[in-house]
Amino acid sequence: MNLHEYQSKRVFAQYGIPIPRGEVANSPAEAREIAAKLGGKVVVKSQVLVGGRGKAGGIKLAVDKDDAEEKAKAILGMTIKGLTVTKVLVDEAADIKDEIYLGLVIDRAQRRVIMMGSSEGGVDIEEVAANTPEKIIKVAIDPCIGFRSYQATDLATALGIPKDLSRSFAQIASGLYNAFVGSDASLAEINPLVVTGDGKLLAVDGKMSVDDNALYRQKGLSDLRDPSEEDPYEVEARRFGLSYVKLDGTIGCMVNGAGLSMATMDMIKLYGGEPANFLDIGGGATAERVAAALRIILSDTNVTGVLINIFGGITRCDEVARGVVQALDEVGVTVPMVVRLVGTNEEEGRAILADAKMETASTLAEAASKAVAVSR
Amino acid sequence: MSILVNKNTRLIVQGITGREGMFHAEQMIAYGTNVVGGVTPGKGGQWAAGVPVFDSVRDAVRATEANTSIIYVPAAFSADAILEAVDAGIKLVICITEGVPTLDMVKVRAYVDQTDARLIGPNCPGLITPGEAKVGIMPGHIHIPGNVGVVSRSGTLTYEVVAALSARGIGQSTAVGIGGDPIIGSTFVDILGLFQDDPETEQVVMIGEIGGTDEEDAARFIRDYMSKPVTGFIAGQTAPPGRRMGHAGAIISGGKGTAAEKVAALEAVGVRMAKQPTDIAELVAANIGR
């Protein structure tokens, strides 16, 4: 789960990281009020969960409250990478002298949380990593020992932080680590961490991703989830415990198991088709869950054919078949379907589907090629 | 011979009184696995699936001399269950549970690495040595004993491949599902090393997927240490970047972890890569002249 900039910065502030004064506005009038309260120049920033907001015109400097209202009017309602802006953050404008990058991720290969710092702040860090990797300093953090002050000092020196700011930097760095661990994050970054004209450090922009598997113990953060900002089908899928990712193709897929789901998509492509989605019904799916899965697949209007591929282990083929029939009763299916049921109770499953007039297949290759053929 | 589990495995089931734990304990016993007990705190003294239940792994080990544990407890308690098993002296711990928070696994893996215990998973189907021991949730009947080692990040995709091997009469020494999470107890490299040292394993099938760099590490290991032929497949060629494909670990991030990179790394060290999973059995058969 990704947090908005304003949400991330509020978490940072709870861990003692200095952030600009500012508030969220849902209308130009609110933006004006906030700007009036803050006084002076403000930055009006769209709050959408995508990168590249600045380039898209979603972040604008305003000289006073009138200007803030104007800028908010322009930004609210605009679309950035397919997402409509419904909120803006109105922040006090910072007097920027220097920009630093500071971030934390989990490094899979090292199996450690890694702190990354770069003197090239304020730009896309992935570009820095690709073009000038030597400009990124990395510090691996032992999970049992935690982040130590000598590591902060080392990092401050490597980043060329002015000596009189090194104590403040250490507080921010350890605050960011504590925020990361305390929030079960998979990513936490301050970009840029600004050195201001009056010689202070300020987290001007921030980003956080929280581990979905840990949301059960992050009640405060999971409550921030706003389904209106997500694909409605993905929200619906989550409600039924399904893993669903919408793609651009035309062949809807329903499979059990993530690896087999990916392989099934790959096979569709290999036979000249394009998958419309990734969908894993999980292990031991009930008829209800299967029916929900099929409803979600069919609600995608790009879908011109469906491939159901089940390798039964703990998942029973008869249960899947019942779910398919249930869904067919509820929503009139107009697109052709290809079904492959193998494993636990496959005979019973096939018998249930016998009246449903579906194409059947015995191998994955046959299923994929038939699905491509019927969806043309 | 085989790796990790066999006739000498003495298995306990952590979470045996739960729905999943009970069902799979029965399935494993039916397969012939030597299940010697189970653990559910507070339910010591009861019986489940025909074996005694203990309050702690320590009690279970004392009473049964268990050497292997399989974990079916909910994700919130999995880290604790793994650490408890390791602290009680269990040398092989298999965690089936999906959804363990990644930061829990960062700590658990750091701790387990300081001991001589081995962890498989989490978020895995377990492992099976056909005809000897099934320690997991895979359908046992699709496996037959033989000389092909199988290691995979996936569950059902592995069943698909194993069933195709068995259909051709090609048996497996051991099939290991290492799990689909970003941080797991044993990686491809660990399991490939065990297969290389196992005299009964003549060749290996490895099934990877997008995300991380474990397949690239495996490629270096194969180049430097493996003499046995390896056949591979990588799932997720059509997966878009930045999206998690079901498995917590299956995500292309920052342009890294794509199927194309992994296929290239493995091909470069002589691994024969299947274009589709159905081709794997054919490539394996060709290796033994069938």
Side-chain angles (χ1 to χ4, degrees), chain B residues 56-78:
Chain B
S56 71
V57 179
R58 196 168 299 276
D59 288 352
V61 169
R62 205 173 285 149
T64 66
E65 291 175 28
N67 55 19
T68 305
S69 178
I70 187 162
I71 295 172
Y72 293 97
V73 307
F77 312 110
S78 292

Side-chain angles (χ1 to χ4, degrees), chain B:
Chain B
M1 275 271 293
S2 53
I3 66 167
L4 298 169
V5 295
N6 54 36
K7 280 274 172 232
N8 301 320
T9 294
R10 299 177 61 79
L11 182 70
I12 54 167
V13 178
Q14 288 177 255
I16 193 165
T17 56
R19 195 171 55 95
E20 297 282 315
M22 177 85 83
F23 175 76
H24 289 292
E26 285 165 354
Q27 296 286 312
M28 290 188 287
I29 291 165
Y31 189 79
T33 310
N34 187 16
V35 178
V36 295
V39 176
T40 298
K43 298 205 172 163
Q46 300 182 9
W47 287 69
V51 297
V53 180
F54 300 89
D55 282 322
S56 71
V57 179
R58 196 168 299 276
D59 288 352
V61 169
R62 205 173 285 149
T64 66
E65 291 175 28
N67 55 19
T68 305
S69 178
I70 187 162
I71 295 172
Y72 293 97
V73 307
F77 312 110
S78 292
D80 229 51
I82 296 167
L83 297 172
E84 184 191 349
V86 171
D87 267 354
I90 297 280
K91 297 300 174 220
L92 178 63
V93 181
I94 295 96
C95 184
I96 303 298
T97 311
E98 179 174 1
V100 181
T102 309
L103 283 176
D104 283 5
M105 283 312 301
V106 170
K107 277 191 182 160
V108 165
R109 180 66 205 267
Y111 186 80
V112 174
D113 282 353
Q114 293 170 18
T115 70
D116 61 349
R118 175 183 296 284
L119 171 66
I120 307 276
N123 191 12
C124 77
L127 68 168
I128 181 170
T129 293
E132 296 197 31
K134 170 179 124 140
V135 181
I137 60 174
M138 64 290 283
H141 66 91
I142 60 171
H143 300 78
I144 57 174
N147 307 102
V148 177
V150 179
V151 56
S152 171
R153 277 168 73 185
S154 156
T156 46
L157 178 55
T158 314
Y159 310 161
E160 183 88 46
V161 170
V162 165
L165 288 172
S166 296
R168 286 176 173 253
I170 301 170
Q172 307 89 42
S173 52
T174 303
V176 185
I178 56 175
D181 275 358
I183 296 183
I184 49 178
S186 299
T187 60
F188 281 120
V189 166
D190 299 317
I191 304 302
L192 288 172
L194 295 174
F195 279 136
Q196 172 65 23
D197 293 340
D198 171 36
E200 293 296 310
T201 300
E202 289 169 2
Q203 58 170 314
V204 179
V205 170
M206 71 171 271
I207 301 162
E209 64 189 31
I210 56 161
T213 53
D214 282 359
E215 288 82 359
E216 285 84 343
D217 292 343
R220 276 187 293 276
F221 181 84
I222 291 165
R223 181 191 65 200
D224 297 340
Y225 300 104
M226 281 197 77
S227 57
K228 297 176 182 177
V230 180
T231 304
F233 177 75
I234 304 291
Q237 333 244 354
T238 46
R243 300 304 308 266
R244 227 169 266 286
M245 306 306 274
H247 284 158
I251 181 166
I252 299 167
S253 46
K256 292 283 170 209
T258 64
E261 285 174 299
K262 292 172 189 295
V263 169
L266 288 163
E267 270 178 346
V269 298
V271 175
R272 277 129 326 125
M273 297 302 292
K275 291 263 180 301
Q276 44 181 320
T278 19
D279 291 345
I280 294 174
E282 219 162 294
L283 291 169
V284 169
N287 279 336
I288 45 177
R290 284 201 213 171

Side-chain angles (χ1 to χ4, degrees), chain A residues 108 119 121 185 216:
Chain A
R108 293 167 65 153
S119 53
Y216 73 89

Side-chain angles (χ1 to χ4, degrees), chain A residues 74-87:
Chain A
I75 293 171
L76 284 164
M78 73 183 287
T79 306
I80 303 178
K81 295 184 184 165
L83 293 174
T84 306
V85 181
T86 59
K87 296 189 268 289

